[in-house]
Amino acid sequence: MAQMNMIQALNSAMDVMLDRDRSVVIIGEDVGYFGGVFRCTDGLQRKYGEHRVIDAPIAEGGIVATAIGMGVNGLRPIAEIQFADYIYPGFDQIVSELARLRYRSAGDFWSPVTIRTPCGGGIRGGQTHSQSPEGIFTHVSGLRVVMPSNPYDAKGLLISCIESDDPVVFFEPKRIYNGPFDGDPDKPAIPWSTHAKGEVPDGHYTIPLGLAEIVETGSEITIITYGTMVHVSQAAAKTAGIDAEIIDVRSLAPLDVDTLVASVKKTGRCLIVHEATRFSGFGAELAATIQEECFWNLEAPIGRVAGWDTPYPHAFEWEYFPGQKRVIAALSNIMEAK
Amino acid sequence: MTRGSRLHIPHPPARPGEEPDFSYLETSPAGAIARPDINAKTADIEHLAVELIRVLDDDHNAVGPWDPRLDPGELQIGLRHMLLTRIFDARMQRIQRQGKITFYMQSTGEEAVSVAQGMALRPSDMCFPSYRNQGLYMVRGRNLVDLMCQCLSNTRDMCKGRQLPIMYHWAEGNIFSISGNLGTQFPQAVGWAMAAAIKGEDHIAASWIGDGTTAEADFHYAITFASVYRAPVILNVVNNQWAISTFQGFAGGEKRPFAARGPGVGIPGLRVDGNDFLAVHAATQWAAERARRGGGATLIEHVTYRQAAHSTSDDPSRYRPKNDAAAWPLGDPVERLKDHLIKIGEWSEDRHEALIKELEHVVQAAWKESNKYGTLTEGPWLDNDLMFDDVLKELPPHLEKQRAELRALEE
């Protein structure tokens, strides 16, 4: 075991896989010689060569497309899209090609591409470096969508994604690359070494795709969340003194419905928390599913805390970011409902 | 001097009711262009992107340094594949008109591209076709019944009922799945070729798009990545002059030949008479050998003409002269190879007629057999459960649930 932040854990996952499997390659902007703008691929080109850790032209559509072709020819590509905000030029290749290849060829062709991409705000990145577009991808049949909330999960999930024969979009909440974040930007930064999930094995291990994790057990309400908001939700429940069961979804698609439903049936109340915009966001799917499965167990309407339905603003970052205040207000609202 | 700018809207030279006009088409005499060494520097052979590589002259002789000197037997096989493609297309078009399949796209007039290229490549080379390359399937010997069953979406459909007619694939035959989204396969072919180079193999990839699709970003991804990584790939632009109703000027063909996009990023561009079987074969051989020896990608523009409608949903009489195809200066690929074979004493009108009859019989027999496996209107039909398979490798819980929901409705 070692202490790792999320960047080191992701680097370790790719290191392990490059070492174990000759077919694993990495392609992306700045990932090679430089080691990535967030350092996630630091040292990997030096270790495995420039034919396996490949610097790419600035063309996200080309990166995804060539990764698809490599996957069809027996490689297991990891494509890095430098920011989730830049994934849109690759959208057609992801949606119409990567996600659909196995289906349209009746299983005769597929391409096991993992697309890694940093997402989310709280880093003063403005609207082109802060988006959370996961809901756009969970809507696409034929994709797996994953978002870890800590270093231990990040490594185990990324290895599972690389080993999976299904295409995956793997979102990395960049605000928590270096440490958990409870939503208060004025507090000093906390490193992952203070957190239990900062303990990461050096070698190979996996966390199964499609399974959520209960990160706090509780009895009064279920908070369904993922990514950075796991930590904000934990802090908010603690501050509010509410005995909340907090579930980290981790695998957004396919979704672990059973874990969510069992919890809400137990607590009878549900709050959904995500950073992405609210309208048609992933929380809408979660709310609909909980309503269908748990309606007769619900003591109060399902609540949602999400980013406002605006582009991600630069100057109003902390008014936009769904911090503890908003989570606490929603929790109180639901708890007070009779 | 005019004042201010003025938007230029390209116009084709002739519209319905007007005489066909191909005066815009720049050609070169057959045999006039030197065949450079396969190691030639791109900068030294830029002229090949604007001239027109031709082998068959007006007297049906094969002339000049690009003559691939194929055995007459091989040429006869090429003629057979082209004719089979044409007869198959014509038959499937009629079948669509009879309402027995929903959709079809013919490759009439462009058969030399797929057939000559398919023959110049090795069977282990990977093809990433567009929807107008059915000739590749003829060359690689796919059972016609399999193609027809796909068009019928019946119980033997290779796509299990999930794709429009003609969106074939063939993993064992090294032909990639066809997408209806234009041009996406172009950079994928480059990725496949990059993997071949990473693995140190000498297989190459080939891909095809139309003139209109060169405007898509995927075209630019493909030529850029192919150039940057010196990928062993042949990137083909089949310039059949028409993208549904917009002529090639709308993709920028008025200003520069499409082949010239190649030298723009540092890969050779070859502009080839796409209706000249021998020229297409020779250009492909050149590009394939160059790629196999580490010389990287080549962009080939095949100058041809889309004789048929874009698809069964299209009506070209609304946007181009009715007799446009007949006036096309580069003739018809089947006729030209036939005339050449007759000229060299290896073919005759009688043999040609006999071959057409034989192939019509082959296609008819395949159609009869295909129907046994079902049509859209008459069973047997595909099991509805198949709809839920292959979304992911394993059936996920939510799809299992949805499948059960559908099953319950059917009971």
Side-chain angles (χ1 to χ4, degrees):
Chain A
M1 288 290 234
Q3 291 290 343
M4 293 188 200
N5 62 28
M6 205 188 286
I7 292 163
Q8 292 161 331
L10 293 164
N11 183 283
S12 173
M14 289 185 274
D15 190 0
V16 164
M17 289 310 296
L18 283 161
D19 183 55
R20 278 168 74 98
D21 184 349
R22 286 286 311 165
S23 68
V24 173
V25 294
I26 299 173
I27 183 165
E29 295 155 18
D30 302 300
V31 300
Y33 186 85
F34 181 54
V37 295
F38 290 105
R39 319 304 306 148
C40 289
T41 54
D42 189 26
L44 297 178
Q45 188 185 73
R46 216 166 29 251
K47 197 164 168 188
Y48 298 100
E50 56 188 12
H51 282 204
R52 296 190 64 204
V53 184
I54 306 165
D55 277 317
I58 304 173
E60 292 76 13
I63 290 167
V64 177
T66 50
I68 292 170
M70 289 178 188
V72 170
N73 198 358
L75 299 185
R76 206 165 269 282
I78 304 165
E80 179 178 307
I81 300 298
Q82 200 162 82
F83 285 85
D85 314 72
Y86 304 160
I87 205 166
Y88 307 116
F91 197 59
D92 186 36
Q93 285 286 345
I94 296 170
V95 176
S96 313
E97 302 295 316
L98 183 60
R100 301 290 151 77
L101 183 56
R102 183 187 291 279
Y103 191 72
R104 78 179 196 222
S105 68
D108 290 342
F109 286 102
W110 70 92
S111 188
V113 176
T114 298
I115 298 169
R116 288 183 40 245
T117 188
C119 68
I123 59 145
R124 284 286 186 208
Q127 61 176 305
T128 55
H129 301 82
S130 305
Q131 293 171 61
S132 297
E134 68 275 7
I136 296 173
F137 293 91
T138 55
H139 191 61
V140 176
S141 53
L143 283 181
R144 289 183 178 275
V145 179
V146 173
M147 193 189 298
S149 70
N150 60 70
Y152 178 82
D153 283 3
K155 180 173 173 181
L157 286 169
L158 182 58
I159 290 176
S160 288
C161 292
I162 298 166
E163 290 178 343
S164 168
D165 286 341
D166 293 324
V168 190
V169 184
F170 186 91
F171 287 100
E172 301 169 3
K174 56 183 154 336
R175 173 68 215 213
I176 54 172
Y177 265 156
N178 289 301
F181 175 63
D182 70 2
D184 183 350
D186 298 326
K187 272 196 201 156
I190 301 163
W192 277 112
S193 55
T194 62
H195 194 284
K197 294 289 183 78
E199 284 277 325
V200 179
D202 289 310
H204 177 276
Y205 68 95
T206 57
I207 292 175
L209 302 179
L211 288 185
E213 189 190 29
I214 300 171
V215 294
E216 302 274 1
T217 52
S219 60
E220 292 184 294
I221 184 169
T222 301
I223 303 178
I224 304 175
T225 184
Y226 51 88
T228 304
M229 299 312 291
V230 169
H231 306 282
V232 177
S233 300
Q234 282 179 302
K238 199 174 165 193
T239 309
I242 291 170
D243 184 28
E245 181 140 298
I246 301 178
I247 301 179
D248 179 358
V249 178
R250 302 196 296 196
S251 287
L252 281 63
L255 179 67
D256 179 4
V257 175
D258 293 348
T259 298
L260 311 185
V261 167
S263 175
V264 177
K265 280 188 173 167
K266 183 180 80 176
T267 62
R269 294 172 198 267
C270 179
L271 175 67
I272 293 157
V273 183
H274 64 52
E275 209 183 313
T277 47
R278 175 183 167 111
F279 190 87
S280 289
F282 186 62
E285 177 61 37
L286 292 170
T289 301
I290 296 301
Q291 184 275 137
E292 282 169 358
E293 302 288 333
C294 309
F295 183 78
W296 303 108
N297 304 87
L298 286 172
E299 306 285 338
I302 300 162
R304 275 190 289 166
V305 172
W308 308 121
D309 287 325
T310 67
Y312 203 108
H314 185 239
F316 313 105
E317 179 134 50
W318 302 113
E319 290 72 36
Y320 177 90
F321 187 92
Q324 282 193 48
K325 241 192 225 170
R326 288 188 56 205
V327 177
I328 290 168
L331 283 171
S332 315
N333 228 358
I334 298 170
M335 293 314 298
E336 284 160 19
K338 291 261 164 63
Chain B
M1 274 291 263
T2 52
R3 286 171 64 85
S5 60
R6 185 173 161 74
L7 191 70
H8 172 68
I9 304 294
H11 290 281
R15 285 297 194 185
E18 296 174 343
E19 278 307 302
D21 175 7
F22 293 108
S23 55
Y24 69 86
L25 187 72
E26 303 272 351
T27 65
S28 311
I33 296 162
R35 182 184 189 276
D37 185 82
I38 60 147
N39 299 312
K41 281 187 187 158
T42 302
D44 295 339
I45 53 172
E46 285 194 27
H47 61 283
L48 293 175
V50 290
E51 291 171 328
L52 191 67
I53 297 168
R54 307 179 72 193
V55 173
L56 290 170
D57 69 11
D58 294 343
D59 298 321
H60 315 305
N61 295 307
V63 297
W66 284 92
D67 178 6
R69 298 179 189 285
L70 299 172
D71 289 341
E74 267 190 276
L75 295 180
Q76 288 166 357
I77 291 170
L79 184 65
R80 185 187 176 92
H81 291 323
M82 285 202 289
L83 267 175
L84 179 59
T85 307
R86 183 165 293 188
I87 290 166
F88 181 85
D89 275 349
R91 179 75 211 214
M92 298 309 284
Q93 172 81 12
R94 282 205 307 281
I95 285 166
Q96 194 278 339
R97 287 297 183 241
Q98 292 163 0
K100 290 175 181 165
I101 61 174
T102 56
F103 179 78
Y104 196 73
M105 302 177 99
Q106 302 184 87
S107 60
T108 323
E110 305 171 28
E111 295 91 343
V113 174
S114 298
V115 172
Q117 294 210 279
M119 289 176 69
L121 295 169
R122 293 180 188 167
S124 55
D125 294 335
M126 186 72 189
C127 296
F128 288 78
S130 80
Y131 45 64
R132 224 182 288 283
N133 294 114
Q134 39 269 54
L136 292 170
Y137 281 90
M138 307 305 166
V139 172
R140 294 198 168 175
R142 184 86 196 231
N143 187 342
L144 298 185
V145 174
D146 293 336
L147 302 182
M148 288 172 164
C149 287
Q150 193 280 331
C151 291
L152 283 161
S153 289
N154 68 14
T155 57
R156 215 175 113 173
D157 173 7
M158 62 178 83
C159 300
K160 295 187 183 164
R162 295 166 189 164
Q163 287 253 66
L164 265 186
I166 64 99
M167 305 288 179
Y168 316 118
H169 67 272
W170 190 15
E172 298 77 27
N174 292 316
I175 306 181
F176 190 65
S177 160
I178 296 169
S179 173
N181 290 36
L182 293 185
T184 48
Q185 73 277 15
F186 229 43
Q188 291 165 2
V190 175
W192 193 98
M194 288 168 66
I198 289 168
K199 294 192 282 183
E201 297 168 349
D202 72 348
H203 308 307
I204 66 170
S207 189
W208 292 262
I209 59 170
D211 43 289
T213 303
T214 60
E216 291 279 10
D218 289 287
F219 170 77
H220 300 273
Y221 300 147
I223 59 174
T224 303
F225 280 64
S227 171
V228 167
Y229 300 109
R230 214 176 289 164
V233 61
I234 303 176
L235 296 168
N236 298 286
V237 174
V238 183
N239 178 2
N240 66 12
Q241 314 302 313
W242 290 96
I244 306 187
S245 74
T246 50
F247 84 116
Q248 46 95 28
F250 275 97
E254 281 183 324
K255 310 289 195 299
R256 290 281 284 166
F258 296 104
R261 274 60 161 169
V265 297
I267 61 176
L270 306 181
R271 186 167 172 264
V272 179
D273 177 347
N275 288 9
D276 179 338
F277 182 94
L278 297 175
V280 172
H281 194 287
T284 309
Q285 264 187 338
W286 185 91
E289 202 185 338
R290 182 178 172 96
R292 252 184 260 287
R293 295 205 192 165
T298 299
L299 180 69
I300 304 179
E301 175 186 352
H302 304 267
V303 181
T304 181
Y305 188 86
R306 195 194 78 208
Q307 291 183 17
H310 165 71
S311 75
T312 46
S313 308
D314 175 37
D315 176 10
S317 71
R318 298 176 67 135
Y319 52 78
R320 68 185 190 190
K322 271 212 161 80
N323 53 341
D324 221 33
W328 174 244
L330 300 176
D332 177 87
V334 174
E335 292 301 313
R336 285 173 70 190
L337 184 58
K338 172 193 151 194
D339 290 342
H340 172 62
L341 276 164
I342 291 174
K343 178 87 182 192
I344 61 173
E346 296 287 345
W347 201 241
S348 68
E349 292 289 352
D350 288 349
R351 288 177 75 179
H352 199 73
E353 281 313 305
L355 178 60
I356 288 174
K357 280 215 170 66
E358 182 202 330
L359 296 175
E360 280 174 344
H361 181 75
V362 166
V363 170
Q364 171 60 14
W367 176 244
K368 220 175 142 188
E369 193 192 333
S370 307
N371 277 259
K372 287 186 199 160
Y373 302 105
T375 68
L376 275 175
T377 48
E378 291 160 61
W381 288 280
L382 288 162
D383 187 338
N384 284 343
D385 277 5
L386 289 171
M387 179 162 50
F388 298 97
D389 291 345
D390 305 316
V391 176
L392 296 174
K393 189 178 182 183
E394 311 288 343
L395 190 73
H398 68 290
L399 285 180
E400 201 177 332
K401 208 176 148 195
Q402 290 171 22
R403 188 179 68 182
E405 210 175 313
L406 178 64
R407 278 179 184 169
L409 288 172
E410 287 167 344
E411 274 164 14

